[in-house]
Amino acid sequence: MTRPSTVDLIAVELRNAIYSGALPVGSPIREVEMSGQLGVSRGPFREAAQRLVQEGLLLSTPGRGLSVVSIGPDRARALYEARTVVETSAARLAVERANAAQVAQVRSAHDALVAAERSEDARRVGDADLNVHWTLVAASGSPWLLRWMTTLIVEVRVATFTASEEYAVRTDGAHSHLPLVERLEARDADGLVAAVREILDEALVRLLRPEAVEVETFDEPRPGPGARLEPISPTIPGR
């Protein structure tokens, strides 16, 4: 098994920090400070940061350096169009190819969403919601779709942070996501694609025009500024 390189590990840390809000929208990437926090040299850090520039998660501005991107309404529409293409394509492949274990993983991801809603923790619910979608794409067996989905999920979180000072997720997400599991288990490709489209269409409307969608939400204050990154371990735990 090929172990991730230092650059791979740094890229994961930066991606996770953007996803969690530890690196807020628009915040600068301070190379010296952050490489020190991670316990790595500036060369690998710079290479990892450039990888995220290519993914569209960091912005490089001449004379100002790197910063976390923001995703406003125009880009949010394009983002959800891309997400719809990836997820509906994956849905059809999952219906056709997913084995029993992969289908069970989607069911388990939904169970985790149910448990998260009981906690009333907005961040936990949001993570569990996106994980249902990620697990469905994983069930397609396509490494390309899964790689694209991994970046898209981080961009969705960035768009959420850009749109509002509050992080909010709907309280009935488990109920609205149940058809994803049921249609996959029934091997109903058209039904699964329709369920994916309905969820994503509603999510985009709620992102751009929250007043137009009457749903109850769990709210959480937006993360404060300032990244707190942990040193990278030199070894990778076995899975």
Side-chain angles (χ1 to χ4, degrees):
M1 181 179 296
T2 302
R3 291 188 180 275
S5 67
T6 300
V7 174
D8 293 331
L9 295 175
I10 297 169
V12 168
E13 287 295 319
L14 292 175
R15 202 178 289 115
N16 288 344
I18 295 169
Y19 179 79
S20 69
L23 285 176
V25 169
S27 64
I29 302 300
R30 297 184 175 88
E31 183 180 303
V32 175
E33 176 184 339
M34 292 184 187
S35 60
Q37 289 176 359
L38 293 171
V40 299
S41 61
R42 294 171 64 182
F45 183 91
R46 189 178 299 117
E47 185 177 344
Q50 286 302 319
R51 186 177 296 179
L52 267 66
V53 171
Q54 294 172 355
E55 292 179 9
L57 300 177
L58 295 180
L59 177 66
S60 178
T61 305
R64 299 182 62 182
L66 300 176
S67 60
V68 179
V69 298
S70 62
I71 298 178
D74 291 342
R75 288 191 62 201
R77 292 183 186 279
L79 167 61
Y80 270 80
E81 288 173 358
R83 189 178 169 189
T84 299
V85 170
V86 168
E87 292 195 42
T88 55
S89 298
R92 292 195 180 277
L93 289 175
V95 165
E96 178 184 344
R97 302 177 181 176
N99 58 36
Q102 290 170 317
V103 174
Q105 287 171 350
V106 178
R107 169 64 73 172
S108 294
H110 184 268
D111 290 343
L113 176 55
V114 173
E117 286 188 355
R118 294 197 188 104
S119 75
E120 299 187 1
D121 182 327
R123 189 56 54 83
R124 181 180 170 188
V125 174
D127 290 349
D129 177 318
L130 289 174
N131 191 53
V132 172
H133 292 269
W134 188 92
T135 307
L136 177 60
V137 174
S140 72
S142 169
W144 291 277
L145 290 176
L146 188 58
R147 185 166 65 246
W148 296 330
M149 185 63 178
T150 299
T151 298
L152 287 170
I153 280 178
V154 182
E155 290 183 299
V156 166
R157 184 60 62 80
V158 169
T160 301
F161 289 152
T162 303
S164 176
E165 290 297 320
E166 298 289 325
Y167 179 77
V169 294
R170 57 187 299 170
T171 60
D172 63 345
H175 175 74
S176 66
H177 282 63
L178 184 58
L180 300 183
V181 184
E182 294 178 337
R183 293 303 90 210
L184 176 62
E185 292 175 339
R187 302 290 176 169
D188 176 5
D190 289 341
L192 180 54
V193 167
V196 169
R197 287 187 178 277
E198 181 177 354
I199 289 171
L200 296 185
D201 287 348
E202 187 275 340
L204 179 60
V205 172
R206 187 158 46 87
L207 178 65
L208 299 182
R209 295 188 295 116
E211 73 284 353
V213 182
E214 295 184 4
V215 294
E216 293 185 7
T217 61
F218 298 120
D219 299 323
E220 177 178 293
R222 189 175 184 177
R228 283 292 178 265
L229 305 179
E230 298 295 330
I232 291 177
S233 170
T235 59
I236 309 301
R239 289 183 176 273

